[in-house]
């Protein structure tokens, strides 16, 4: 025999050419055991805090205060919050779809110079930290924002005409800004690969463009629209930073309510009960999404994108082209506004004052230097990324073995951390890891663990599709030639995976740097991260504080953008849109 | 693949020092100074609210005398700061908490986050200013919370000074008042308690009715005093001429004007029983490793140097009667009849008041 015995014994190895089933790994027991590490991690740092939350919310003062769940469900305010979270997420999702569809069409149908760069740019909002997005919106639409300043000087007004900060409108806009990119990427990926022959037949038979779209294209696109909508909905549902900064106390979603109950009203048992309710909802959403994703990666009769791109550009096409570019610019305006405002603020300082912002000449006892804060964030991000990569890759290996129902359930379970709100996670850590057996109070490990928990699902989403796409014949050949498992991994898997791993790494880094919801609960006075510092500076009066917030937002945005550029470079086409 | 391994090794190498740092104290932790008496510079960390301010040289003097290094962490408004300290109970990340006042006192005492200390300086302090008779919290300053008004604005808009709180619910004051959230801000809570005392809880028209009418009259609620005062008060570019603040704030306006104002541009609305005597204090956190140094610091805050610096920094009165009060404080007024609410009442009812208020005003 030239290969391992199991290769001949295993009845499956001879049959399928299905790239999604990877058999040879099955034969090595020690490799299978590696999944134990992620399971331990998941149980210890995710399940255990959640159970702790449940325990706290059921246990507290049961004679004096009634069961928190009952209190909550009887309180019209909190019921109102749940309802509000739902319907603002729905409206935000619909808005994202409306904004995203034309752009998706644009990318599916047209080929032009700079297409890949533009595609990257429009996806940037999704990866931006929430504080940066909120900051961008404040800068452009706030009472002292750019649009108001323009309107005031144009029409010689006394006060700002556009009063939409602290209203629903700005929250919807911010959510749409965040999530339209999801729609664009997932839908255009499918759209550009659709077989044109069906819509062409419809046209030949006399259907108008509208009819063709409605009856042919739309149904075909449905899986992509629905799955991207579910993702957008989940992110809007669990949105925290945007609602907290732009919405104020009046528009609290579940997240904001949990945060307020923890830090302001100090009703931990109610916060716990709300967290449980929120987790149940998001688990359902994510299960839906995982099911849809697994089923939609079965290919339809997809054609390469070149065939659906228009060859000849008619008048409508040219008009559309001309309109879509400013449309995209408007959509991206908060980012541009943020950079613009930062640069103009910096320019208004003299050079000495700028260095003073970063390195105070006079030793002031209250001063937390932005440089220290930035360095804090980096120090936290690196171990967080390492943990996320290891956990994410191990889970991907486990999940890549099959697409059966059990595995898709496992997929949803492992993905839970991103659906569970960051605030809930932070809250869970806060009340769990403050006593025996794991006391992490005052330790930076809490933040590292929280960040890695939130980041590893993105590593899974980057690595898993590539892993599923590895031709098993490559591995089989290596085995036949006598390579051990470790060598197979090193020489076959790793080179193929390495772009996906780089994507996962930079994703995890960007997430850790920009994480806000859990961090705001877990930072200690000495160990503050950039997003929390931005939030604190925004809350203090005075233009110097605002400038510090602006500068740090721009630094954060630049770091994330650079990471993002790297992601785009190394991402392979087969990894799908998400 | 080689590039990937290189990438990962670089990451690992960079991350080793942070992992090695472990439970780190601040980056600027001081080197040991070898001296004949083996004195090291010890660190003292102070948790304070955003309005805390003291002159650098006052801090410097303490540091020099006791071979200490002081770091002050401002962490938001009083309410949030105290909640965070409670969450860290037993294993605090700082040593001293400054800014616990008589409104939030019992919440902190119940959670036992402080350790008791009777400072020898306490013998100087008048009895009515001792906010905690178990001495877990030592009083440091006091002030009177009331409503400030912008003189120019009222004059230009022909508005008469209100003589009762009920007037604030009338149409001419619609959209003109900014208050602080009692859940987060200590002056906010102080004002709420004053309204409870003023209107009562059970009568026909109680404090909740008052706040309900205020809400309908478009009252603005901000989380903290500095936000309300420096953003929404008309003196600083906002659109609200009335703000819940301190009876000493008009004096502060003169102080900061560098001679521009000879008389305060703002004034105090001193309605009987509608002002509140707020006493602020300092407490040594349970679990600190530098308790003796912390005790020295508590003594220091009661000493003349620190106490005399307080008025021009935080615009409240020092508790030590021997500390001289600066000249510009002549513009500060002392209300004759502040609201009187007992400790026990505040203790029993505080959370209930805050909850009820939140329901009526914010939701």
């Amino acid at each position: 025999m030239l290969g391992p015995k199991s290769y001949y014994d295993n009845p499956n190895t001879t049959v399928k050419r299905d790239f999604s089933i990877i058999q040879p790994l099955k034969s090595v027991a020690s490799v299978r055991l590696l999944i134990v590490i992620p399971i331990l991690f998941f149980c210890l740092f995710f399940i255990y805090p959640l159970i702790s939350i449940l325990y706290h919310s059921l246990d507290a003062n049961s004679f004096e205060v009634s069961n928190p769940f009952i209190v909550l469900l009887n309180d019209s305010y909190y019921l109102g919050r749940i309802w509000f979270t739902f319907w603002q997420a729905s409206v935000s999702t619909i808005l994202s779809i409306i904004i995203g569809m034309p752009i998706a069409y644009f990318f599916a149908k047209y080929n032009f110079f700079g297409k890949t760069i533009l595609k990257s740019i429009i996806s940037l909002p999704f990866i931006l930290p929430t504080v940066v997005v909120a900051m961008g919106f404040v800068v452009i639409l706030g009472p002292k924002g750019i649009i108001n300043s323009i309107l005031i000087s144009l029409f010689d007004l006394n006060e700002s005409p556009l009063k939409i900060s602290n209203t629903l409108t700005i929250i919807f806009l911010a959510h749409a800004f965040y999530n339209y990119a999801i729609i664009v990427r997932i839908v255009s990926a499918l759209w550009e690969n659709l077989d044109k022959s069906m819509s062409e037949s419809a046209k030949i038979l006399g259907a108008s463009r509208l009819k063709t779209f409605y009856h042919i294209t739309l149904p075909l696109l449905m899986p992509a629209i629905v799955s991207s909508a579910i993702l957008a909905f989940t992110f809007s549902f669990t949105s925290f930073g945007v609602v907290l900064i732009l919405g104020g106390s009046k528009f609290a979603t579940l997240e904001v309510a949990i945060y307020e109950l923890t830090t302001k009203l100090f009703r931990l048992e109610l916060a716990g009960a709300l967290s449980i309710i929120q987790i149940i909802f998001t688990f359902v959403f994510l299960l839906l999404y995982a099911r849809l994703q697994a089923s939609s990666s079965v290919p339809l009769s997809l054609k390469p994108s070149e065939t659906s791109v228009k060859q000849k550009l008619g008048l409508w096409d040219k008009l559309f082209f001309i309109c879509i570019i400013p449309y995209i610019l408007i959509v991206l305006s908060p980012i541009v506004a943020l950079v613009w405002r930062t640069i103009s603020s910096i320019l208004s300082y003299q050079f000495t004052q700028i260095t003073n912002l970063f390195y105070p000449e006079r030793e002031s006892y209250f001063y937390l230097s932005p440089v220290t804060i930035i360095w804090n964030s980096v120090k936290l991000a690196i171990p967080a990324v390492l943990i996320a990569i290891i956990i994410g890759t191990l889970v991907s290996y486990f999940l890549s073995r099959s697409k059966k129902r059990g595995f898709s359930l496992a997929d949803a379970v492992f993905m839970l951390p991103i659906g569970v709100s960051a605030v809930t996670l932070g809250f869970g850590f806060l009340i769990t890891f403050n006593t025996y057996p794991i006391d992490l109070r005052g330790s930076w490990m809490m933040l590292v663990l929280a960040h890695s928990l939130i980041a590893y699902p993105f590593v899974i989403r980057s690595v898993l599709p590539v892993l599923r796409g590895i031709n098993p014949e490559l591995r089989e050949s290596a085995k036949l030639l006598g390579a051990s498992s470790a060598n197979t991994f090193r020489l076959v898997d790793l080179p193929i995976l390495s772009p996906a791993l780089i994507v996962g790494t930079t994703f995890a880094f960007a997430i850790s740097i920009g994480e806000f919801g859990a961090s705001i609960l877990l930072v200690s006075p000495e160990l503050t991260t950039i997003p929390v510092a931005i939030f604190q500076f925004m809350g203090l009066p005075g233009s110097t504080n605002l400038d510090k917030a602006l500068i740090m937002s721009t630094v954060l945005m630049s770091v994330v953008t650079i990471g993002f550029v790297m992601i785009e470079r190394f991402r392979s086409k087969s990894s799908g849109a998400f | 693949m080689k590039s990937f391994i290189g990438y990962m090794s670089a990451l690992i190498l960079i991350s080793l020092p942070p992992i090695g740092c472990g439970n780190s104290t601040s980056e600027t932790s001081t080197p040991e100074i070898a001296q004949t008496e083996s004195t090291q510079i010890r660190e003292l960390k102070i948790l304070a609210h955003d309005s805390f301010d003291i002159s650098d040289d006052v801090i410097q003097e303490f540091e020099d005398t006791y071979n200490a290094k002081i770091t002050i962490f401002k962490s938001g408004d009083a309410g949030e700061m105290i909640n965070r300290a409670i969450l860290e109970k037993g294993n605090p990340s700082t040593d001293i908490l400054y800014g616990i006042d008589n409104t939030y006192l019992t919440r902190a005492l119940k959670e036992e986050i402080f350790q008791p200390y009777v400072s020898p300086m306490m013998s100087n302090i008048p009895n009515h200013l001792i906010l905690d008779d178990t001495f877990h919290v030592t009083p440091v300053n006091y002030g009177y919370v009331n409503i400030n008004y912008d003189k120019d604005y009222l004059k230009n808009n022909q508005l008469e000074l209100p003589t009762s709180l009920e007037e604030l619910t009338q149409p001419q004051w619609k959209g003109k008042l900014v208050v602080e959230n009692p859940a987060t801000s200590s002056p906010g809570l102080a004002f709420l308690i004053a309204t409870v005392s003023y209107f009562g809880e059970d009568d026909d028209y109680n404090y909740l009715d008052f706040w309900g009418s205020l809400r309908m009259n478009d009252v603005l609620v901000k989380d903290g005093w500095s936000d309300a005062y420096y953003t929404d008060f008309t003196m600083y570019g906002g659109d609200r001429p009335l703000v819940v603040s301190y009876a000493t704030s008009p004096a502060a306006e003169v102080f900061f004007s560098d001679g521009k104002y000879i008389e305060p541009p703002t004034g105090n609305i001193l309605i009987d029983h509608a002002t509140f005597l707020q006493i602020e204090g300092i407490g040594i956190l349970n679990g600190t490793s530098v308790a003796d140094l912390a005790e020295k610091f508590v003594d220091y805050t009661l000493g003349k140097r620190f106490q005399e610096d307080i008025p021009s920094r935080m615009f409240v009165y020092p508790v030590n009667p021997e500390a001289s009060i600066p000249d510009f404080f002549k513009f500060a007024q002392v209300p004759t009849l502040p609201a009187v609410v007992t400790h026990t009442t505040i203790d029993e009812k505080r959370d209930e008041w805050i909850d009820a208020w939140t329901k009526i005003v914010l939701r």
Side-chain angles (χ1 to χ4, degrees), chain A residues 263-264 362 382 441 444 520, chain B residues 15 22 56 83 89 223:
Chain A
T263 59
K264 296 187 186 177
R362 181 177 68 84
I382 292 174
R441 265 178 310 178
W444 51 275
I520 200 176
Chain B
S15 72
D56 286 349
N83 290 340
K89 150 169 98 172
D223 273 353

Side-chain angles (χ1 to χ4, degrees), chain A residues 77 263-264 266-267 362-363 365-366 379 382 430 441-444 490 498 501 520 525-526 540-541, chain B residues 1 4 15 22-23 26-27 56 60 63 70 72-73 83-84 86 88-89 91 184 223 230 355 363:
Chain A
Y77 172 70
T263 59
K264 296 187 186 177
F266 208 62
R267 300 290 299 275
R362 181 177 68 84
E363 160 138 70
Y365 295 93
F366 315 104
K379 266 199 311 182
I382 292 174
L430 208 55
R441 265 178 310 178
S443 160
W444 51 275
R490 189 170 64 89
S498 91
L501 284 172
I520 200 176
E526 282 181 289
L540 293 174
Chain B
M1 193 215 34
F4 177 70
S15 72
N23 223 342
S26 77
E27 282 304 295
D56 286 349
Q60 185 79 47
E63 287 187 328
I70 290 189
I72 300 173
F73 298 103
N83 290 340
R84 260 183 213 273
I86 294 175
E88 289 183 345
K89 150 169 98 172
N91 196 352
T184 48
D223 273 353
Y230 291 112
D355 264 350
R363 291 165 184 182

Side-chain angles (χ1 to χ4, degrees), chain A residues 354-413:
Chain A
I354 300 178
T355 47
N356 220 10
L357 277 181
F358 286 89
Y359 296 103
E361 283 169 2
R362 181 177 68 84
E363 160 138 70
S364 171
Y365 295 93
F366 315 104
Y367 198 81
L368 201 61
S369 141
V371 173
T372 321
I373 300 174
I374 295 174
W375 181 230
N376 278 345
S377 281
V378 173
K379 266 199 311 182
L380 288 173
I382 292 174
V385 166
L386 267 179
I387 298 177
I389 287 283
I390 295 173
I391 304 286
T393 313
L394 288 172
V395 173
S396 303
Y397 264 99
F398 176 72
L399 291 177
S400 64
R401 286 161 57 200
S402 159
K403 270 195 198 153
K404 290 184 258 183
R405 273 182 79 160
F407 282 83
S408 104
L409 183 67
D411 191 336
V413 168

Side-chain angles (χ1 to χ4, degrees), chain A residues 7 12-21 468-474 476:
Chain A
Y7 179 80
N12 287 329
T13 48
T14 48
V15 181
K16 297 165 200 160
R17 294 259 145 200
D18 191 336
F19 284 14
S20 67
I21 299 183
R468 279 195 171 131
I470 293 184
N471 187 341
E473 286 183 346
L474 288 172
E476 289 168 20

Side-chain angles (χ1 to χ4, degrees), chain B residues 165-171 173-175 177 199 205-219 360-361:
Chain B
L165 281 185
E166 294 95 328
E167 275 180 55
L168 293 173
T169 63
Q170 281 163 15
W173 294 110
K174 190 177 176 75
L177 173 66
F199 287 103
Y205 187 83
N206 62 21
Y207 77 101
L208 288 173
D209 297 313
F210 169 66
W211 281 102
S213 320
L214 270 190
R215 180 192 184 156
M216 295 214 286
N217 226 16
D218 206 15
V219 67
I360 298 277
V361 180

Side-chain angles (χ1 to χ4, degrees), chain A residues 44-333:
Chain A
L44 197 55
F45 296 114
F46 185 66
I47 302 286
Y48 176 40
L50 292 188
I51 294 179
S52 177
I53 294 178
L54 189 61
Y55 178 72
H56 272 85
S57 62
L58 291 177
D59 177 68
N61 294 335
S62 28
F63 290 121
E64 294 172 73
V65 177
S66 43
N67 185 326
F69 284 101
I70 299 179
V71 169
L72 276 181
L73 294 174
N74 272 333
D75 190 334
S76 62
Y77 172 70
Y78 290 108
L79 285 178
R81 291 307 98 208
I82 298 177
W83 170 241
F84 173 71
T85 316
F86 260 105
W87 86 256
Q88 66 80 18
S90 312
V91 174
S92 303
T93 309
I94 294 174
L95 201 55
S96 307
I97 295 179
I98 294 176
I99 294 183
M101 286 296 279
I103 304 183
Y105 177 76
F106 180 61
F107 279 103
K109 294 292 176 190
Y110 298 96
N111 234 345
F112 50 92
F113 174 75
K115 180 174 177 177
T116 22
I117 297 182
L118 193 58
K119 202 170 191 182
S120 305
I121 295 178
I122 58 148
S123 308
L124 185 58
F126 178 69
I127 204 179
L128 282 181
T130 47
V131 253
V132 172
V133 172
M135 195 78 195
F137 269 85
V138 167
V139 163
I140 197 172
L141 290 172
K144 295 202 178 98
I146 291 184
I147 294 203
N148 271 322
S149 311
I150 294 178
L151 288 175
I152 288 180
S153 50
L154 260 183
F155 296 108
D156 208 21
L157 300 163
N158 271 337
E159 45 163 44
S160 324
L162 201 63
K163 286 197 174 124
I164 68 168
S165 61
N166 288 340
T167 63
L168 273 179
T169 326
I170 205 170
I171 294 179
F172 290 147
L173 286 176
H175 284 167
F177 174 78
Y178 237 119
N179 294 315
Y180 84 93
I182 304 178
I183 313 282
V184 169
R185 289 201 87 128
I186 295 185
V187 172
S188 69
L190 183 58
W191 208 336
E192 67 189 11
N193 290 320
L194 277 186
D195 190 346
K196 261 177 100 179
S197 52
M198 276 198 270
S199 40
E200 276 174 354
S201 322
K203 282 207 194 108
I204 293 175
L205 291 171
S208 65
R209 286 171 92 111
L210 208 56
K211 267 198 166 163
T212 322
F213 180 74
Y214 187 67
H215 289 287
I216 310 269
T217 327
L218 208 50
L220 283 176
L221 285 179
M222 258 316 152
I225 297 181
V226 171
S227 83
S228 60
I230 294 179
L231 262 190
F233 183 84
T234 310
F235 288 133
S236 301
F237 190 82
T238 57
S239 164
F240 175 65
V242 164
V243 182
L244 182 69
I245 296 176
L246 295 175
S249 346
K250 272 199 283 178
F251 300 109
T253 52
L254 276 184
E255 307 284 294
V256 177
I258 295 172
Y259 168 74
E260 287 191 340
L261 283 169
T262 310
T263 59
K264 296 187 186 177
L265 299 169
F266 208 62
R267 300 290 299 275
L268 298 181
E269 75 286 4
L270 290 183
L274 264 187
S275 310
I276 299 290
I277 294 177
Q278 204 238 24
I279 291 168
I280 296 175
F281 284 136
T282 43
F283 182 71
V284 168
F285 302 149
L286 281 178
L287 189 59
L288 272 172
Y289 175 72
R291 287 280 205 89
L292 273 170
Q293 243 226 340
S295 64
S296 69
S297 45
V298 169
L300 313 168
S301 58
L302 292 181
K303 296 279 161 49
S305 56
E306 289 71 39
T307 59
S308 55
V309 165
K310 295 190 188 221
Q311 305 301 335
K312 268 173 120 176
L313 297 178
L315 181 62
W316 281 115
D317 298 317
K318 292 198 178 109
L319 268 177
F320 183 75
F321 209 93
I322 295 177
C323 290
I324 202 79
I325 300 282
Y327 179 77
I328 292 182
L329 282 178
I330 292 178
V331 170
L332 288 176
S333 55

